[in-house]
Amino acid sequence: MKLTKHAHACVALEKDGTRLVIDPGTLTPDAAEAVARADAVLITHEHFDHFDEQLVAAALQDRPGLRVYGTAAVAAALGSHDGRVHAVAAGDTFDVGSVTVSVHGHRHALIHPDIPCPDNVGYLVDEGTVHHPGDAYHVPDAPVRTLLLPTSGPWTKFGEAADYVRAVKPERVIQIHELMLSDLGRQSAANLLGEKGLTGIPIEYVEPGADVQV
């Protein structure tokens, strides 16, 4: 499976001609181009940096074959679009072409007690090939080969991130949600959390626009 990293939390996954795009938000400059090539868009939660509602709604209008999966709040914001928008929750599974996706987790990580936590789901793609957790450190109840690890944001903590990687036990870790970190910050995250740090697993940084095989 080919993974294309886009800015912030957005990634595209492609296998056997099927292309999924996860979390095309307003902080991803090329989100429209990514969505234009997608067979399905997966949204972890409704925050603007993960879900550009206007962009996704326009894509649904323009492309009759496009499907969208997200939390109940995401589905309600978009409307049914003739049944092409699907509300999903933990325990659900669905197929897009030859790719199977299972849904894990319930809630966004806590930022502060005064700030509500929306529903947040993670997507485990292609029987554990890749896991995108959205804005949470929820451990899926299935093996994970490549974990997409959020490393910046008002809810993230490196100590919790280290415990999360230890609990998931992936073969590979790729940084996402790293837009708020400088070059030094990304390197610090890799050093603290990576192979010679708290987890013993290398933490990779993939430049936006670059592809890797997973």
Side-chain angles (χ1 to χ4, degrees):
M1 173 173 283
K2 182 175 76 172
L3 182 150
T4 302
K5 177 73 171 67
H6 296 276
H8 199 52
C10 183
V11 300
L13 300 168
E14 188 171 359
K15 178 187 175 185
D16 299 335
T18 296
R19 187 175 178 88
L20 312 180
V21 171
I22 306 177
D23 280 3
T26 60
L27 300 184
T28 302
D30 60 347
E33 291 86 347
V35 170
R37 300 174 57 197
D39 297 291
V41 173
L42 284 53
I43 307 293
T44 62
H45 64 288
E46 71 261 33
H47 284 165
F48 69 92
D49 55 329
H50 296 254
F51 174 41
D52 187 333
E53 179 182 340
Q54 186 174 17
L55 184 158
V56 176
L60 282 163
Q61 188 70 31
D62 293 342
R63 299 183 53 218
L66 181 65
R67 288 184 278 164
V68 177
Y69 299 84
T71 61
V74 168
L78 291 172
S80 172
H81 285 271
D82 298 320
R84 293 184 290 125
V85 176
H86 306 270
V88 295
D92 291 342
T93 61
F94 57 90
D95 295 324
V96 182
S98 62
V99 180
T100 297
V101 181
S102 58
V103 184
H104 300 262
H106 303 277
R107 236 4 137 179
H108 191 288
L110 180 68
I111 299 172
H112 187 277
D114 290 349
I115 300 176
C117 288
D119 289 341
N120 177 99
V121 295
Y123 295 105
L124 188 61
V125 180
D126 199 34
E127 299 181 349
T129 297
V130 178
H131 180 59
H132 190 309
D135 277 4
Y137 292 138
H138 177 82
V139 179
D141 55 353
V144 175
R145 291 195 289 281
T146 298
L147 174 65
L148 306 182
L149 179 68
T151 55
S152 79
W155 60 274
T156 56
K157 297 178 181 178
F158 280 4
E160 292 180 359
D163 289 341
Y164 179 52
V165 174
R166 289 176 176 181
V168 175
K169 299 181 178 68
E171 299 173 10
R172 184 178 189 181
V173 180
I174 295 174
Q175 287 195 52
I176 61 166
H177 212 277
E178 79 290 359
L179 190 62
M180 294 181 182
L181 297 179
S182 64
D183 290 343
L184 178 60
R186 290 192 294 269
Q187 188 58 51
S188 295
N191 290 339
L192 181 64
L193 300 174
E195 186 174 20
K196 297 181 180 179
L198 292 169
T199 70
I201 301 172
I203 306 290
E204 301 175 44
Y205 171 64
V206 178
E207 291 280 354
D211 300 331
V212 294
Q213 293 295 317
V214 294

